[in-house]
Every structure is written in C-alpha cells, then in structure tokens.
Amino acid sequence: MDGTGLITVVILVYLAVTLGVGMMAGRRASRSVQGYVAGDRDFGLLVMYFITGATVFSAFAFLGGPGWAYSRGAAAFYILTYGVLGMAPWYAMGPRVAALGRRFGFVTQAQLLVGRFPSKALSLLMAVLTLAAFVPYVTIQMRGAGIVIEAVTGGEIPLWAGAALAYGIVMVYVLNSGVSAVGWTNTFQGVFMIVIAWVLGIYLPYRMYGGVGPMFEQILDQRPELLSLPGLDGNGNPWSWGAYSTAILASAIGVTMWPHLFMKAYTARSDTIIRRTVILFPTFQLFLIPVFLIGFAGVLFPESPDQPDFILPFLILRSELPALVVGLFCAGALSASMSTGDALLHGAASVVVEDGVQPFKPLSDRAQRTLMRVLVLVVGALAYISALHEGFSLVDLLLASYGIICQFMPAMVAALYWRRATTAGVLCGLLAGSVVSVFFFLFPELKPLGMHEGILGLVVHLPVLAAVSLGGRPQDREHVDGYLRV
Amino acid sequence: MPLRTWRSIAWTYHILFAIAVVWPVQALVNDPEVLVVGLPVQMAWAAGWLLGSLVVLWRLDSARTREIRLAGADGSGTVSGGGE
C-alpha cells in the first residue's frame, strides 16, 4: 500500500470509530426532546470539559489559526486571547442559566430569553439570527474537513467529496443520538486534537528550524512585519489596531452566546461541573500556541499552498513523516472540524424547532424530534452548498458570524440581571444592533477605524435597550423575581 | 480570603486582562525582537494572562467550596453574596 493509500485508511478508520462512538452514545439518553437536546441534563465534568473545548476549537482554530499565522502573522494572536476572556463570565452566568433551565424546563437559549421577555416575535428573531450565524459557521467546518481530505489524498478525493463523507457521518450520529453523540464524540475528538496539536507544533519547528526560538529568529530576520502587532490584513497590508482590538472584544462577548455552546449549560449534571469547566478552559485555550507554531513554521518554507488555510496539511505532507503518523495528524484536523460541526447542526435544528416553530404551532414530543432530524439535513445541505464556494478565509467567515452573535449578550445579561429591562427594550435593542452589524458587514469600507461590526452594533444596541426599557412600564415584580432570584 | 474578595479579584483580573491585550496597552508590549521562552513577546504576554486566569478562577472556586463547607458546618446553608 502506498503512502496516500495508508493515510486514507487511517482516516477511514478514524471516521468509523467516531461513528461508532456517536451511535453508542445515544443508547444512554431518553427518547424525549429533553434527552435529544439537553442529554437529560446528565453530562459530567469530563464530557463538559471536552464538549466546551472541542466545540469552541473547530476547523477555524485548527486550520484557520495556522492559516492566519502563516499569512497574517501576529494578527492571529487575537484568537489566543478572546476565548478565556469570553468564558470567564460564564463562571457566574452558566450556573444561573442551568438553574433557570431546571426550574422552567428550558432547553434553548431563546426559551430563557422569551420566558423572561414574553414575545413570539423575539423567539422568531432569535431563531432567524441563530440560523443566519450558524450556516456560515457550519460552512467553515465542512470546508475544513474537505480541505484536509483533499490535501492528504493528493486531490484524489476532492473537497466536495471529502466534506460530504465527513459530514455524512456527522449527520448519521447526530440524527440518531442527538446531543449525547455530540458530547461523547467531542470527548474522543478533543483528546485527539490536543495531543496532535502539541506533538506537531513542537516537532515541526524543531525539524525545520532547530527549535521554536530559532524559528522566530529566522522569521524576524526575513519577515519582521509578521511578528509585530496588529499583523497584516488579508491583502498583506498592515491591519489596524481598531480592527485587531475590536475583533478580540466582539469575539469575547460572543463566545458563550453561541446557542450551541450556551445550550450546553442545560446538559450539565450540576452547577459545580459548569464552574469547573470554566476554570479548566484556559488549558484548552493554550493548545492554540502549538497550532500557531505550525503556521509560523510554514512562513519560510520554500513552497506555498494554494490557500493559507491549507498550510497545516501542506506542511505535514512535506515533513517526511511516516504515512501512518500523517494519517493520524489529519484525523486530528478532521476532529476539530467535526467536533464543532456536529454541535452546530444539532444546535441549529433544536433552535429552529423549539424557538421558530413550537411557539407558533405546538408539536408533540415525537413530532419535534422528527422535525429536528429533518432540519439537521436541511441546515447541513445549505452549509454544504456554501462550503463548495471558494474565495473566503475560515477566520473571516467566523468573524462575520460573531457580529450577529455578540448582539445576544446584552439581551441575556438583561434577562439574568436587570430588573428594569422590558420586552420592548430587548426586542428593539436586538433588532437595532443586528441591523447595524449587518450593515457594516455589507459595507466594510464605512467602518470607523476598521472596528468590528459586532462592536459597532453594540454601540447602538445598548442605548436602545436602556432607553426603550426605562421608557416603558416595568415588568411584574413576581415574574422578574422568578428569573433574578436564582 | 473570603469568597467576596476572590470574586472581586477575579472580576478585576479579567478586566485588566481585556485591557492588556488591546490597544493601547498591547501596543506597548509589541517589540518583535524580544523572545520569551522562544516565543514572541506578544504571544508569551497572552499566554501569561491565560495561565493567570486559570489560577485566579481556581482560587475563586476553592474559596467558594470552602465557604459552602463552612456554611454547611454552621447550619446556615447560605454562601455570601450567593446566586452566582
């Protein structure tokens, strides 16, 4: 068997094991909406740690991170900082969200928001915004999987077929087992990702430059512009401090507001498990360091991949490693893609049914589960079509999604902590912030100081939320106490 | 230290963390010629804040666990400033 054949076999074995883990996980959960969406609220620390880490770290981090370090240098460091900054408030918010989930039976983010601020329009708006942000995010993951498989098979399995193969398997176990499959496959994939990132991130600089320090010294000598913040933009010109700083802030504000991550608060067995997951999160975040080292290792490499996002498989295939090891590394990259993609597909289907359909047309438990499964297929198909188009970077796609997602934060903080917030205030704030964010996404040349559209959206969102809330009648005290006294 | 103090320390730490990694503070820690344990100083700066976060959150949780244990021992069953 030649090298490519052996690599392909390793990847197929990896996919088969993932499928097996995902299918077996579903045996433990009950056949109810709560079992499918919230895992019967029974995840322990191990699964919660990996489901959080592996869900946050996706193809965006594993392929896009090295891609940015390789092509945009220090600009990639923004990815290193925002995760922990965003996760720290979850130490306080997460257990509160979980307690409200147990008290009122919530399984989605919008259910909590609409519980505090009763409005079918708000529920629908959350479902639409979630879907709008999720499709590009799933697209990133599918494209990442396709990139890896195309690269390691030397183009014999093209991107479209690779993405279809990997996500065909994801869909099978998500359709069958729901969030239980997501949790246990993420645990398996998370271990895989961490080990592979650290091994490769240390090995490549040593093999190519004699060490990490010597690698950066040589880059400094030949490409010094790459090691100075705020790094470069997508065209190779200097990035702005406004764009760099607001990318960190928008991502930090948005990270726990991603519905697929937020909803995991409902899956934890206890509040202590949520808190411990937050405490341990920096250990997952540190795995970005070797990921960036991989990207920097490619900077002075004599050849270049077609696109920066290909740098990881490109280097691995040229590092003269045994084919078996290359196959395992590629399986690690696939893990990163699939561990987030499965949570996204599951989350998108759950949100659309629970928040976009159920408030308008109540369905039986069985009908909800069936519709969720249909929607897993629909969202997967939409993202798959998008993934086949070239011309965008994985990191750029995610940054654009954050513009919408970080608009959820003021509404959620108001729901959990602000007695005086009203339904009209939250609805108007969310609408205003989202419109401004989308406007600046469509017309980036109008952004002041190159600031992230999500932050610009929040500049409008916050005063609108405050002004409309304070201008209206306060909510019933007893109703508010149900959400604030947890 | 009591839980309330650790909670304040954790908030303060993460606000300082946010300030430290954006302009203008980060612009002061931006000399590409300085390497710390082989890493560019900006990368080591961010990694240092990450590790600090791990320590601060761990101490906060320890304080919380201790206070819950004490609250259980004196029969009051409440944690100061509860409702986290």
Side-chain angles (χ1 to χ4, degrees):
Chain A
M1 189 184 293
D2 65 358
T4 305
L6 186 56
I7 294 168
T8 307
V9 168
V10 171
I11 288 177
L12 290 175
V13 168
Y14 159 78
L15 290 173
V17 171
T18 304
L19 180 62
V21 171
M23 297 299 280
M24 282 172 65
R27 292 182 179 180
R28 298 181 62 213
S30 68
R31 298 278 155 193
S32 65
V33 168
Q34 190 158 151
Y36 190 80
V37 180
D40 296 319
R41 305 186 198 279
D42 194 36
F43 281 3
L45 181 61
L46 179 76
V47 176
M48 281 297 287
Y49 172 71
F50 280 108
I51 204 171
T52 306
T55 299
V56 172
F57 294 106
S58 59
F60 147 75
F62 215 91
L63 297 172
W68 261 45
Y70 167 72
S71 62
R72 300 179 60 168
F77 297 160
Y78 99 86
I79 307 170
L80 189 59
T81 54
Y82 78 77
V84 169
L85 276 177
M87 196 58 76
W90 200 241
Y91 184 91
M93 285 176 74
R96 191 175 271 262
V97 168
L100 289 171
R102 287 190 296 271
R103 180 180 291 176
F104 296 110
F106 299 144
V107 292
T108 71
Q109 186 181 28
Q111 283 175 344
L112 192 157
L113 206 55
V114 174
R116 165 78 203 268
F117 306 113
S119 163
K120 285 185 179 179
L122 181 59
S123 187
L124 185 62
L125 180 64
M126 287 290 286
V128 170
L129 291 177
T130 299
L131 199 60
F134 266 22
V135 170
Y137 205 175
V138 184
T139 299
I140 294 170
Q141 313 313 323
M142 287 195 177
R143 197 168 157 72
I147 285 172
V148 170
I149 294 177
E150 178 179 300
V152 299
T153 59
E156 283 183 33
I157 302 179
L159 192 150
W160 66 266
L165 174 67
Y167 274 80
I169 287 169
V170 166
M171 283 193 198
V172 168
Y173 68 69
V174 172
L175 287 171
N176 181 70
S177 308
V179 77
S180 299
V182 175
W184 284 102
T185 54
N186 282 11
T187 304
F188 166 63
Q189 291 163 329
V191 173
F192 219 86
M193 281 161 59
I194 289 178
V195 171
I196 282 166
W198 278 106
V199 170
L200 197 61
I202 291 170
Y203 172 79
L204 281 177
Y206 269 92
R207 179 171 176 81
M208 296 167 70
Y209 302 92
V212 173
M215 175 180 79
F216 282 114
E217 282 165 6
Q218 289 182 47
I219 293 173
L220 192 59
D221 192 43
Q222 297 180 48
R223 298 283 311 275
E225 74 281 7
L226 284 177
L227 294 186
S228 187
L229 281 169
L232 306 178
D233 68 11
N235 300 318
N237 301 314
W239 210 22
S240 72
W241 274 111
Y244 178 85
S245 300
T246 53
I248 291 175
L249 296 177
S251 304
I253 291 167
V255 70
T256 52
M257 290 299 109
W258 279 99
H260 64 296
L261 199 61
F262 185 99
M263 286 158 61
K264 298 300 175 288
Y266 300 128
T267 64
R269 194 181 299 148
S270 72
D271 294 352
T272 300
I273 287 172
I274 296 175
R275 291 193 183 94
R276 299 270 155 88
T277 304
V278 174
I279 294 167
L280 291 172
F281 187 73
T283 61
F284 225 109
Q285 185 87 7
L286 283 172
F287 118 102
L288 283 169
I289 290 176
V291 165
F292 290 154
L293 296 180
I294 296 167
F296 280 115
V299 168
L300 302 180
F301 196 72
E303 301 167 69
S304 305
D306 294 337
Q307 295 174 42
D309 289 337
F310 278 71
I311 189 67
L312 175 102
F314 183 83
L315 281 183
I316 292 171
L317 290 169
R318 284 157 183 78
S319 58
E320 296 173 19
L321 289 164
L324 178 68
V325 182
V326 174
L328 290 172
F329 286 146
C330 295
L334 277 181
S335 294
S337 155
M338 294 166 71
S339 62
T340 305
D342 55 9
L344 287 165
L345 283 171
H346 172 268
S350 305
V351 166
V352 171
V353 173
E354 294 300 310
D355 308 327
V357 177
Q358 184 74 357
F360 301 91
K361 183 173 172 43
L363 301 170
S364 68
D365 204 90
R366 186 187 170 86
Q368 286 178 58
R369 281 170 62 95
T370 305
L371 188 55
M372 280 175 198
R373 290 183 164 121
V374 171
L375 283 164
V376 165
L377 294 171
V378 172
V379 175
L382 278 174
Y384 179 69
I385 292 165
S386 307
L388 302 184
H389 292 283
E390 290 187 14
F392 50 77
S393 117
L394 298 182
V395 178
D396 288 338
L397 255 184
L398 188 75
L399 264 175
S401 301
Y402 265 107
I404 292 175
I405 290 302
C406 69
Q407 304 308 317
F408 292 178
M409 180 58 105
M412 202 48 70
V413 170
L416 297 175
Y417 299 101
W418 193 30
R419 183 170 290 281
R420 204 46 196 85
T422 64
T423 303
V426 166
L427 199 50
C428 292
L430 201 51
L431 265 175
S434 303
V435 167
V436 170
S437 178
V438 170
F439 173 81
F440 282 111
F441 173 68
L442 295 174
F443 302 101
E445 66 280 4
L446 298 178
K447 288 191 229 177
L449 303 171
M451 289 169 73
H452 190 279
E453 55 268 23
I455 297 296
L456 295 169
L458 289 175
V459 168
V460 176
H461 185 152
L462 292 172
V464 170
L465 167 63
V468 177
S469 291
L470 292 172
R473 259 186 61 193
Q475 286 188 307
D476 175 59
R477 187 173 184 83
E478 200 177 329
H479 170 77
V480 176
D481 282 347
Y483 288 84
L484 267 56
R485 294 195 174 173
V486 179
Chain B
M1 276 191 280
L3 174 61
R4 203 176 284 275
T5 309
W6 274 110
R7 197 178 286 142
S8 303
I9 290 173
W11 274 110
T12 308
Y13 179 85
H14 287 94
I15 290 167
L16 289 175
F17 182 176
I19 293 169
V21 294
V22 298
W23 185 89
V25 177
Q26 180 71 75
L28 301 174
V29 188
N30 192 26
D31 185 348
E33 298 202 5
V34 178
L35 297 182
V36 180
V37 286
L39 300 174
V41 65
Q42 310 95 321
M43 204 169 173
W45 175 252
W49 282 99
L50 285 185
L51 288 172
S53 174
L54 180 69
V55 173
V56 169
L57 289 172
W58 173 68
R59 293 303 303 268
L60 169 65
D61 202 57
S62 300
R64 183 183 169 76
T65 307
R66 193 170 52 245
E67 195 146 325
I68 288 172
R69 207 180 303 126
L70 288 173
D74 71 12
S76 68
T78 56
V79 176
S80 69
E84 259 188 349

